[in-house]
Amino acid sequence: MMAQLAKAAQKQLADLLFPVRAARGEEEDGILNVPLHERRLQTETYDFTILTIANLLREEKIVVPEFQRKYVWNRNQASRLIESIIIQCPIPVIYLDQEDDGTLKVIDGNQRLMSIRLFFENGFRLKGLRAFPDLNGFLFRELDPRFRTHIENRTIRCITILKETHPQIKFDVFERLNTGAVQLNPQELRHGLYHGSLMEKLDELGEYEPWQELSGIKDDKRMRGAELILRFLALRFKLDEYEKPLATFLNKFAQGNRDVGKDDEFENAFKKSVDGMKALLGSKAFRLLDADGKPDNNFNSAVFDAQMVGFALSGRSPKNISKELGAEFLPRYVALQTDREYVRAVSASTSDRPLVHTRIELFRSLVQEIVPV
C-alpha cells in the first residue's frame, strides 16, 4: 500500500514538472497524408550580422506576423539580449518562413528580433546589465562607436524554411516550435502562417452581429469563431475536395485563398447562411435539440457544418423565410434528429468524408422541402 502511494506521489510530481502534451488528434495528423518524398524540410541556413538583421527588419524583408504573440519582453530582458551579443554569448537560432515573394516571416524568435530592431532605433536604454553595468542607461546612438561596430558585426544563425517545402510540413514545424508560455491553437498558427486578406476577412466576419448572437462568440481572443467561419467557407466552396483530416483541409484552403482580394463572395455566402439560420432556428441554431425542441447548451461543430453549409447549398434565401415558416421548420428539424444517419453524422467520427457529406445533404434537403425558392 505504501509503495502504491509513493508511486502515485511520484507520478503526480512528474506530471507537474514534466507535463505530457495531449496526444495529437486524428484531425491534427495531417502530416501522414503528405507523400513520403515531400515530408523533408527544405531549408537554408544563414549567419546574419546584427546590422543585416536590423536592416532587413527595417526594410520589411523580415516581417513579424501580427497574430496572437505580441512583443512582451521588458527592458531588462531586451537589454540582457544586447549584453549577450556584446559578450558573444550564443543566441538561440531564429526560424524564418520564406514566402512566395521571397519575404522572410518569423516563425520563432520575434522577441529577440523586435528587441534588436527597437535597440537600433534607440527605442530603449540599456538596463540591468551584469557583465557591463557601465553601459546601463545608454541608447544605441550614445554608445562609443567601437561598441556599436562590435554589436553590428556579431551574428545570429537563422534557419529559413524554403517556399518549396510542403505547406503541411511548414504547419507541423510551426506547431513544433510553438513553445510560448501560452500555446497557440491551430487557428492562431494559421493566422500567422497564412496571414493575408482571408484572415482579415475572417476577423471582419466575426464581428457580424447575427453571427455573434447565434454562436455566442463575441470576444474571439483565441480565434475559435475565426476557425468556424474558415471551416464554413472551406466546406461551402470546396466540399467536393474535402478529405480528412479536417485540419489539413483547412490549411490548404487558407493557403490557397490567403489573398482573396475584394471579392465579396465569401462574405455574402457567410452572411446569407447566418441570416437563414437565424430565421429558421434562432437561438436553437448550431446545437442539438431534444424531443421538445430544447437546445443543448453546447455549440456543436458538426451541426454547424450541416446547418450553415446545407443552407448555403440549398439555393434558398433568408428573405423567403417568414415567422410562420420558421415555426413549421422547427418540428421537422427535431424529427430529423431521430434519423439514424443524421445522428451518426453529427455524433461520431464527424470528420469522416461520408459523414460530412451526409449531414450537409440531409439538412440541405430539409431546407429545400420547406423553404420556397
Side-chain angles (χ1 to χ4, degrees), residues 156-221:
I156 294 182
R157 175 149 294 187
C158 298
I159 296 179
T160 299
I161 301 174
L162 300 179
K163 58 187 178 183
E164 291 80 11
T165 299
H166 191 284
Q168 185 59 36
I169 300 300
K170 282 191 177 186
F171 188 83
D172 185 70
V173 171
F174 205 142
E175 187 179 41
R176 290 169 188 263
L177 294 172
N178 174 25
T179 57
V182 178
Q183 294 290 300
L184 302 179
N185 62 44
Q187 185 58 29
E188 289 168 335
L189 292 172
R190 285 187 200 102
H191 200 77
L193 195 56
Y194 307 123
H195 189 72
S197 54
L198 174 62
M199 293 300 148
E200 293 171 359
K201 175 67 72 174
L202 298 181
D203 293 339
E204 178 185 325
L205 294 177
E207 297 297 319
Y208 188 48
E209 191 170 332
W211 161 249
Q212 293 184 346
E213 180 185 337
L214 296 189
S215 67
I217 302 173
K218 297 182 179 180
D219 185 7
D220 198 19
K221 289 183 178 179

Side-chain angles (χ1 to χ4, degrees), residues 208-259:
Y208 188 48
E209 191 170 332
W211 161 249
Q212 293 184 346
E213 180 185 337
L214 296 189
S215 67
I217 302 173
K218 297 182 179 180
D219 185 7
D220 198 19
K221 289 183 178 179
R222 298 307 307 271
M223 299 188 180
R224 177 170 177 251
E227 182 171 57
L228 287 168
I229 297 171
L230 176 65
R231 179 171 171 152
F232 162 75
L233 293 175
L235 289 172
R236 162 63 182 85
F237 291 98
K238 296 291 183 180
L239 181 59
D240 290 343
E241 298 177 20
Y242 174 73
E243 295 289 347
K244 60 183 297 189
L246 177 63
T248 301
F249 176 67
L250 296 183
N251 291 346
K252 289 179 179 178
F253 185 84
Q255 185 197 36
N257 295 275
R258 64 186 300 174
D259 295 309

Side-chain angles (χ1 to χ4, degrees), residues 283-296:
S283 61
K284 301 177 189 294
F286 314 147
R287 290 157 179 82
L288 290 170
L289 308 183
D290 64 18
D292 297 321
K294 183 179 179 181
D296 190 297

Side-chain angles (χ1 to χ4, degrees), residues 280 311 314-322 325-326 328-329 366-373:
L280 287 174
F311 187 88
S314 73
R316 301 306 193 251
S317 170
K319 296 178 181 178
N320 295 333
I321 303 173
S322 63
L325 198 63
E328 178 187 346
F329 184 85
L366 179 60
V367 172
Q368 288 181 328
E369 285 179 25
I370 298 177
V371 180
V373 177

Side-chain angles (χ1 to χ4, degrees), residues 32-293:
L32 297 179
N33 283 4
V34 178
L36 282 171
H37 67 279
E38 294 184 30
R39 291 184 193 176
R40 185 175 181 179
L41 199 62
Q42 299 188 52
T43 65
E44 283 187 359
T45 301
Y46 307 96
D47 288 324
F48 286 139
T49 66
I50 301 297
L51 178 60
T52 297
I53 289 174
N55 288 337
L56 290 173
L57 286 166
R58 187 185 70 252
E59 296 166 4
E60 296 188 344
K61 293 179 180 178
I62 292 180
V63 296
V64 178
E66 294 183 7
F67 62 114
Q68 284 295 334
R69 205 176 298 177
K70 305 296 184 181
Y71 182 67
V72 297
W73 273 14
N74 58 40
R75 293 297 176 253
N76 283 68
Q77 289 172 300
S79 297
R80 289 294 302 279
L81 172 68
I82 302 303
E83 185 176 46
S84 294
I85 292 170
I86 293 173
I87 65 176
Q88 302 185 56
C89 178
I91 307 299
V93 172
I94 303 291
Y95 289 91
L96 305 170
D97 173 35
Q98 185 183 47
E99 300 280 86
D100 290 339
D101 63 359
T103 301
L104 302 177
K105 184 165 54 182
V106 182
I107 293 178
D108 187 66
N110 61 330
Q111 302 299 314
R112 282 161 275 157
L113 293 180
M114 292 306 295
S115 295
I116 289 170
R117 178 173 182 174
L118 278 173
F119 188 62
F120 269 68
E121 293 175 351
N122 301 294
F124 65 91
R125 296 181 181 278
L126 295 174
K127 179 182 179 182
L129 303 188
R130 298 178 184 176
F132 293 95
D134 290 343
L135 300 182
N136 283 328
F138 285 94
L139 296 170
F140 177 70
R141 68 166 179 261
E142 296 171 344
L143 293 175
D144 184 286
R146 289 167 291 182
F147 271 116
R148 294 203 301 269
T149 300
H150 179 74
I151 293 170
E152 291 171 347
N153 289 336
R154 298 277 64 79
T155 61
I156 294 182
R157 175 149 294 187
C158 298
I159 296 179
T160 299
I161 301 174
L162 300 179
K163 58 187 178 183
E164 291 80 11
T165 299
H166 191 284
Q168 185 59 36
I169 300 300
K170 282 191 177 186
F171 188 83
D172 185 70
V173 171
F174 205 142
E175 187 179 41
R176 290 169 188 263
L177 294 172
N178 174 25
T179 57
V182 178
Q183 294 290 300
L184 302 179
N185 62 44
Q187 185 58 29
E188 289 168 335
L189 292 172
R190 285 187 200 102
H191 200 77
L193 195 56
Y194 307 123
H195 189 72
S197 54
L198 174 62
M199 293 300 148
E200 293 171 359
K201 175 67 72 174
L202 298 181
D203 293 339
E204 178 185 325
L205 294 177
E207 297 297 319
Y208 188 48
E209 191 170 332
W211 161 249
Q212 293 184 346
E213 180 185 337
L214 296 189
S215 67
I217 302 173
K218 297 182 179 180
D219 185 7
D220 198 19
K221 289 183 178 179
R222 298 307 307 271
M223 299 188 180
R224 177 170 177 251
E227 182 171 57
L228 287 168
I229 297 171
L230 176 65
R231 179 171 171 152
F232 162 75
L233 293 175
L235 289 172
R236 162 63 182 85
F237 291 98
K238 296 291 183 180
L239 181 59
D240 290 343
E241 298 177 20
Y242 174 73
E243 295 289 347
K244 60 183 297 189
L246 177 63
T248 301
F249 176 67
L250 296 183
N251 291 346
K252 289 179 179 178
F253 185 84
Q255 185 197 36
N257 295 275
R258 64 186 300 174
D259 295 309
V260 292
K262 297 181 179 179
D263 189 350
D264 293 328
E265 187 178 20
F266 287 175
E267 180 175 350
N268 293 337
F270 174 74
K271 290 184 176 180
K272 184 177 179 180
S273 283
V274 170
D275 293 345
M277 294 320 304
K278 182 177 180 180
L280 287 174
L281 291 172
S283 61
K284 301 177 189 294
F286 314 147
R287 290 157 179 82
L288 290 170
L289 308 183
D290 64 18
D292 297 321

Side-chain angles (χ1 to χ4, degrees), residues 294-318:
K294 183 179 179 181
D296 190 297
N297 290 329
N298 298 320
F299 187 105
N300 186 300
S301 298
V303 172
F304 166 81
D305 294 341
Q307 294 179 356
M308 286 287 287
V309 183
F311 187 88
L313 297 178
S314 73
R316 301 306 193 251
S317 170

